[in-house]
Amino acid sequence: MRSPLLDTEGLNQCIHCGLCLEACPTYRITRLETESPRGRLHLMSAIASARIDPRESDAAVLHLDRCLACRACEAVCPSGVPYGELIEEARADIARARGTPPLGRLALWSVSRPRVLGALAALLALADRTGLRAGARRILPPRLRRLDALAPPPGRPAYQPVAVEAPRASVALLLGCVMRVSYGDVHTATARVLARLATRVVEVADQGCCGALHAHAGDNAEAVRLAKRNVAAFERSGAEAILANAAGCGAFLKSYAHLLEGDPEWAQRAAAVASRVRDINEYLAVAADGATFGELAMRVTYQDPCHLAHAQGIRAEPRALLGRVHGLELIEMADADVCCGSAGYYNLAQPDYADRLLEEKIDAILATRPDAVVTANPGCMLQLAAGLRARGKSIPVLHVVEVLERAMRSA
Amino acid sequence: MRQLQEICGDDNVFWRAEDLLVWEYDAGFDRHPPSAVAVPGSTAEVAAVVKAAHDAGTAIVPRGAGTGLSGGTIACAGAIVVSTARLRRIVAIDAAARMAVVEPGVPNVAVSAAAREVGLFFAPDPASQRISTIGGNVGTNAGGPHALRYGSMVNHVLGIEMVLPNGEIARFGGTAADLPGYDCVPLIVGSEGTLGIITKIWLRLLPLPEDIRTFVAIFPDIDRGARAASAIIAGGVVPAAMEMLDNVTIGTLNAAFDVHLPPDAGSLLLVEIEGLHEETEDWAASIERLLRKNGATDVRSAASAAERELLWKARKLGYAALARIKPNNYLHDAVVPRTRMPEVLKQVNAIAERYGYVIANMFHIGDGNLHPVLLFDARTEPIDRVMEASAEILKVAIDAGGALTGEHGIGLEKNHFMPWVFTAEDLDAMRRARDSFDPDGTMNPGKIFPGGEACADIPTERTKRVLAEGMWV
Ligand SMILES: Cc1cc2nc3c(=O)[nH]c(=O)nc-3n(C[C@H](O)[C@H](O)[C@H](O)COP(=O)(O)OP(=O)(O)OC[C@H]3O[C@@H](n4cnc5c(N)ncnc54)[C@H](O)[C@@H]3O)c2cc1C
Ligand code: SF4
Ligand code: SF4
């Protein structure tokens, strides 16, 4: 069976030079070519040319499943191999041939339905309050315990829009799926920081999950459906800039142009919307140029989210923003831009690899003896918090905007 | 198989056809999957794997990072691949003795980084240094831009521990300056995995230079650039590195990196000098004068360490960036006497033109080590023609009194061309040297020596053989 989806042009671009190997988190922990970008591209080529039938080959599919889609390889590849797009296409191809695994299907089904997610969060909160969760933790099978450890934290306050008198600029904010339900306070912090710059967050009704998780898992149709809904919603908002404070979502919004390029009715509209998308760090670095953000005496270390550093090339901006907080000391950890192992539901699908990556990450963090860990993506926040908790550490994990907001409050 | 799994652990042994596919390549041209792969985690495991294979009569191919460009890691004849990727400890950095002791899977750049912490550096710097391993660098006697001043790997290896083809562990050379008996180290360096699997290496480190200056000189064409390079060497100052980039390469680097080189330059020289402050001051003036006198339209010097690093990054990753122009390429590695270089370059470009290939040049001009890269698209352009053009290029270099390879090795790529430069007696002597290590011929069979049957089922091998025999008159 030949693959109709895989971009052979992109695959051909790989000259097998191997320059990406040392950047790849799964290669770094295994040192195996099967778990390297070059190996995976070669396997994708073998699928594209029908040397491997994905229905038959569990081994090849496993190596592709173990990819974090962190795109560290893409960021260092001199010949410009579009790895991120290729792995998504390969996964779509495999999903078509083999179907999506049930656990993944459930997770994907829930994130694109805000009410289901909301209900889950409410249930978790209830379980927490009644002590049911703590009890369950003791008796749950390991796989579910893992799910529990990484479930979005219940009980963080919901998003509270901030009123701005005489705004100088208006922006839209992607509220997302997990973010909206579980990290409403990060949205609030974002709105407050923006308010200080006399920037108002306009309400955009009808926006929803960005579809990134679906695309990463190979469910292209659902990703396209969600993308169209968002394109229409953000068009209506008329906002000049569309901000994302979740790196994975921002990266995916920026790629809507690619996702919908084959659809004549949507291609241009998607490109127009995508060109207005900015990560919050990217936006603030320009909008708050020269401004300082008050004071916060704290020693922190910063974890680069993959979809910020590798997919969007945004590394200097968050550091520069943190540098504008008086009293804040930023200590770089080793390999800050190596994936922490979060990556969608990777935790659940590849527990062994996820744990090994997280172990190394937590070691690197602890070596900097920080008061807090700062990052800029909910998935990373969740994963790092779970990792720190598992080591018995009570070091908080904060989003960049949370740090800025706290510093501003002190000013 | 069971035995390999017992030695290395289930996770580090591969035998399924789909898994083996990812060891069928290196960065070169030839493709062939091994019959199994073992990734041992210690010298003892390497020795046990080799012993087991030896007892079973199975051939072995050592593999580092697989960045080799001459097919040295391609396994044919039912061979298994033994990867050193998990042997990556820097055992010791001895600042006083200016020496590093490392395992073979350590990437080249990691040695430099560790040495820098104590004010030393490791000189060989192949463009692949971010990932290519010390074991592989020894295997191919790797060079790099700075080989101009410091020489290639063979000048920097003091000692080697190696698992012999029968599974015994032997040690050659060492830390003392003058050991009695035969010095086998230079024989092992560049032996491309045909004598055994290297498991530990003692490396020479050098003190960091006090001052480094990097120049970029722009020329209207290749010819004038090449003549300026000759003039610099003739002038008596040996730069640490001197690289030439042609117009096609400059365009690619601009597209891939933030280097902003003049896009319409015909060629560019990247010249670096290292030494004490008072030396570099004088040399800089004399080099700049020579560059201008020989037709440089502009000479810039890197203003900061960051700018210097960016220039080198672009140069070193430039080869891979060429895939932006055409997806496939054939990178050559001929060496010619420096005096014949301008003329050989012209002939090489003429061959490419005759065949209709775009050619990119980016090479160690100071050493006369040419790297013309033929760019093509394997989906539409037959590979046989590419190889024919390549054989012609090689012939031009040999006719000018050059060598088959400057640094990438012979491997499978150029074994059939060996009779172009060596007599039957020469080759026989080399074979006997190999046989004294590997009497059964089980280490990396089919490599270096012409005429072997081990890899005859690889199509590219057949083509090259026909070309090598047909064109040599
Ligand atoms: C982008 C790019 C740039 C390059 N630039 C340069 C350059 O500037 N200069 C240069 O010289 N080369 C260059 N090369 C070629 C290549 O990187 C070198 O040949 C390098 O030394 C190979 O190292 P490796 O670890 O990848 O070895 P591999 O490719 O894995 O192996 C190379 C050879 O060494 C043998 N070998 C490997 N490990 C061992 C061991 N432990 N014991 C015994 N034998 C072993 C193998 O059998 C094989 O024959 C470049 C390659 C690329 C892709
Ligand atoms: S993906 Fe890029 S860096 Fe990696 S092997 Fe292919 S060409 Fe080289
Ligand atoms: S996306 Fe990340 S995990 Fe996947 S191959 Fe690239 S570097 Fe490795």
Side-chain angles (χ1 to χ4, degrees):
Chain A
M1 194 184 67
R2 220 161 245 281
S3 153
L5 296 177
L6 269 164
D7 164 20
T8 50
E9 194 79 28
L11 287 171
N12 253 308
Q13 195 97 5
C14 173
I15 57 162
H16 294 81
C17 67
L19 288 172
C20 51
L21 265 59
E22 288 290 333
C24 174
T26 56
Y27 182 77
R28 292 166 64 107
I29 56 170
T30 61
R31 300 289 153 188
L32 299 174
E33 190 76 23
T34 43
E35 311 304 336
S36 77
R38 178 172 62 172
R40 292 186 176 121
L41 287 161
H42 201 70
L43 291 173
M44 291 183 222
S45 286
I47 291 175
S49 63
R51 281 175 83 193
I52 290 181
D53 182 341
R55 284 170 306 189
E56 309 274 300
S57 174
D58 293 347
V61 171
L62 176 64
H63 303 315
L64 295 177
D65 278 348
R66 283 179 176 160
C67 170
L68 296 147
C70 71
R71 295 168 70 177
C73 50
E74 183 174 340
V76 299
C77 169
S79 69
V81 173
Y83 187 92
E85 287 166 16
L86 290 167
I87 186 74
E88 262 166 38
E89 287 162 8
R91 286 184 171 162
D93 216 41
I94 293 168
R96 228 172 29 96
R98 297 169 66 114
T100 314
L103 191 60
R105 249 192 337 256
L106 181 69
L108 293 175
W109 177 80
S110 63
V111 293
S112 51
R113 285 163 186 78
R115 250 168 299 181
V116 177
L117 259 192
L120 277 176
L123 262 179
L124 274 179
L126 187 70
D128 251 4
R129 271 199 305 273
T130 55
L132 202 64
R133 195 171 179 192
R137 257 179 211 148
R138 281 194 296 274
I139 51 170
L140 282 176
R143 185 87 164 220
L144 283 178
R145 221 166 18 216
R146 173 173 286 281
L147 185 63
D148 175 78
L150 289 162
R156 290 181 73 136
Y159 170 42
Q160 291 166 345
V162 179
V164 180
E165 278 169 44
R168 267 184 285 151
S170 296
V171 295
L173 178 65
L174 176 77
L175 298 176
C177 49
V178 177
M179 269 308 268
R180 187 198 312 235
V181 176
S182 305
Y183 286 99
D185 51 345
V186 174
H187 286 331
T188 310
T190 305
R192 289 200 185 131
V193 173
L194 288 166
R196 278 290 172 107
L197 303 170
T199 302
R200 183 175 68 110
V201 176
V202 297
E203 198 192 315
V204 182
D206 290 345
Q207 60 158 309
C209 168
C210 68
L213 286 175
H214 305 80
H216 297 331
D219 185 355
N220 216 46
E222 181 68 0
V224 165
R225 189 184 72 83
L226 293 167
K228 287 179 180 172
R229 191 172 83 180
N230 280 332
V231 168
F234 286 115
E235 268 174 347
R236 274 195 300 276
S237 79
E240 301 150 44
I242 302 157
L243 304 188
N245 51 20
C249 308
F252 198 66
L253 287 185
K254 287 181 178 178
S255 76
Y256 275 0
H258 173 74
L259 184 70
L260 298 175
E261 73 190 349
D263 187 332
E265 195 190 324
W266 287 87
Q268 278 211 327
R269 296 169 63 185
V273 165
S275 70
R276 278 152 49 203
V277 175
R278 299 283 179 278
D279 179 78
I280 184 73
N281 289 286
E282 189 182 10
Y283 184 82
L284 288 177
V286 177
D289 189 27
T292 49
F293 289 98
E295 193 167 337
L296 196 62
M298 215 183 213
R299 182 183 164 99
V300 303
T301 190
Y302 174 74
Q303 158 72 16
D304 285 288
C306 298
H307 286 97
L308 201 57
H310 307 314
Q312 303 184 58
I314 297 175
R315 298 157 183 269
E317 291 86 341
R319 292 179 168 85
L321 289 170
L322 294 174
R324 291 203 225 139
V325 175
H326 283 303
L328 186 122
E329 195 187 355
L330 174 65
I331 313 284
E332 292 286 348
M333 69 176 97
D335 301 317
D337 66 348
V338 171
C339 184
C340 63
S342 154
Y345 64 92
Y346 195 84
N347 295 302
L348 301 175
Q350 308 296 339
D352 173 37
Y353 276 42
D355 284 354
R356 285 158 77 183
L357 290 165
L358 185 57
E359 280 297 295
E360 294 205 354
K361 184 55 67 184
I362 301 297
D363 285 343
I365 287 173
L366 295 180
T368 67
R369 292 178 291 108
D371 301 324
V373 183
V374 185
T375 185
N377 188 49
C380 313
M381 292 171 71
L382 212 55
Q383 173 85 340
L384 296 177
L388 289 165
R389 213 179 320 125
R391 295 270 191 101
K393 304 287 173 191
S394 56
I395 301 170
V397 181
L398 302 173
H399 193 290
V400 174
V401 290
E402 289 183 285
V403 174
L404 300 182
E405 196 257 350
R406 283 191 197 184
M408 280 172 18
R409 251 187 297 159
S410 74
Chain B
M1 196 61 50
R2 175 79 62 64
Q3 238 178 322
L4 293 182
Q5 285 172 332
E6 267 164 25
I7 299 166
C8 304
D10 289 358
D11 288 348
N12 297 308
V13 175
F14 297 84
W15 46 271
R16 283 194 198 85
E18 315 100 88
D19 286 339
L20 297 178
L21 278 186
V22 308
W23 282 280
E24 72 173 355
Y25 53 75
D26 58 14
F29 237 86
D30 307 288
R31 301 278 181 264
H32 198 283
S35 63
V37 176
V39 194
S42 67
T43 300
E45 286 183 21
V46 175
V49 167
V50 174
K51 173 106 184 26
H54 183 260
D55 292 349
T58 307
I60 289 186
V61 179
R63 180 181 170 106
T67 69
L69 289 160
S70 58
T73 60
I74 304 303
C76 357
I80 64 169
V81 158
V82 177
S83 161
T84 61
R86 287 173 61 219
L87 305 173
R88 38 181 300 117
R89 267 186 326 135
I90 294 183
V91 182
I93 298 277
D94 185 339
R98 290 189 184 160
M99 189 181 69
V101 187
V102 304
E103 293 186 339
V106 172
N108 173 301
V109 80
V111 178
S112 308
R116 196 168 309 120
E117 283 178 20
V118 293
L120 301 173
F121 80 110
F122 178 57
D125 64 335
S128 57
Q129 73 193 124
R130 282 208 307 203
I131 38 157
S132 68
T133 66
I134 294 296
N137 291 169
V138 175
T140 57
N141 187 16
H146 289 78
L148 178 58
R149 166 147 184 200
Y150 299 104
S152 58
M153 276 302 278
V154 71
N155 303 107
H156 303 273
V157 179
L158 301 167
I160 286 175
E161 175 192 271
M162 183 162 85
V163 173
L164 301 174
N166 63 6
E168 284 169 21
I169 301 170
R171 183 161 155 194
F172 305 92
T175 52
D178 193 11
L179 293 166
Y182 292 123
D183 183 2
C184 293
V185 170
L187 176 66
I188 298 171
V189 179
S191 62
E192 304 188 34
T194 60
L195 303 182
I197 302 186
I198 297 158
T199 46
K200 204 183 278 174
I201 306 108
W202 284 257
L203 297 169
R204 183 197 310 281
L205 303 176
L206 300 172
L208 281 167
E210 187 182 290
D211 189 31
I212 304 179
R213 309 240 186 141
T214 312
F215 300 93
V216 176
I218 309 298
F219 295 88
D221 51 37
I222 291 186
D223 206 40
R224 262 171 277 194
R227 270 187 275 145
S230 301
I232 287 177
I233 301 279
V237 175
V238 179
M242 182 152 61
E243 302 283 303
M244 171 175 268
L245 281 57
D246 70 0
N247 176 267
V248 175
T249 309
I250 292 170
T252 310
L253 298 191
N254 279 337
F257 311 98
D258 229 5
V259 280
H260 309 289
L261 301 170
D264 42 8
S267 74
L268 174 160
L269 285 182
L270 183 58
V271 188
E272 189 156 280
I273 50 176
E274 294 178 357
L276 300 170
H277 277 294
E278 50 260 45
E279 291 173 325
T280 50
E281 199 67 41
D282 288 353
W283 294 345
S286 105
I287 282 180
E288 183 161 350
R289 199 172 55 244
L290 282 171
L291 287 168
R292 289 198 191 275
K293 197 171 131 204
N294 283 279
T297 52
D298 186 25
V299 181
R300 270 196 289 158
S301 70
S304 62
E307 192 180 341
R308 170 176 180 265
E309 265 163 42
L310 178 65
L311 282 168
W312 278 114
K313 177 178 164 199
R315 161 61 188 96
K316 291 194 172 171
L317 304 184
Y319 159 62
L322 290 171
R324 289 166 190 258
I325 306 180
K326 291 254 183 160
N328 304 87
N329 69 57
Y330 192 162
L331 167 57
H332 299 84
D333 177 38
V335 186
V336 297
R338 270 189 299 253
T339 47
R340 308 284 300 272
M341 189 140 48
E343 154 207 352
V344 170
L345 275 170
K346 258 190 228 145
Q347 289 184 42
V348 168
N349 282 321
I351 293 171
E353 200 166 316
R354 181 151 44 79
Y355 278 85
Y357 295 123
V358 178
I359 201 163
N361 281 292
M362 159 174 26
F363 60 96
H364 318 309
I365 193 165
D367 296 321
N369 187 182
L370 304 185
H371 287 319
V373 190
L374 283 188
L375 306 175
F376 66 102
D377 186 336
R379 289 164 302 180
T380 52
E381 294 167 273
I383 197 115
D384 291 11
R385 256 188 104 238
V386 177
M387 284 199 256
E388 198 179 313
S390 301
E392 283 196 34
I393 289 176
L394 201 54
K395 188 147 193 304
V396 165
I398 302 295
D399 284 347
L404 284 173
T405 166
E407 54 181 22
H408 298 164
I410 298 292
L412 268 189
E413 186 204 0
K414 285 181 286 210
N415 50 352
H416 296 304
F417 298 95
M418 287 289 270
W420 286 16
V421 281
F422 295 106
T423 63
E425 291 75 34
D426 294 342
L427 286 170
D428 208 44
M430 280 190 237
R431 263 201 203 96
R432 282 201 303 273
R434 181 199 59 187
D435 290 349
S436 63
F437 281 84
D438 183 22
D440 306 320
T442 52
M443 284 310 294
N444 213 353
K447 310 297 161 61
I448 302 184
F449 296 99
E453 292 301 319
C455 299
D457 58 331
I458 304 182
T460 43
E461 267 295 281
R462 281 199 297 277
T463 314
K464 279 181 293 207
R465 189 166 184 163
V466 171
L467 285 167
E469 285 165 10
M471 279 172 60
W472 191 244
V473 280

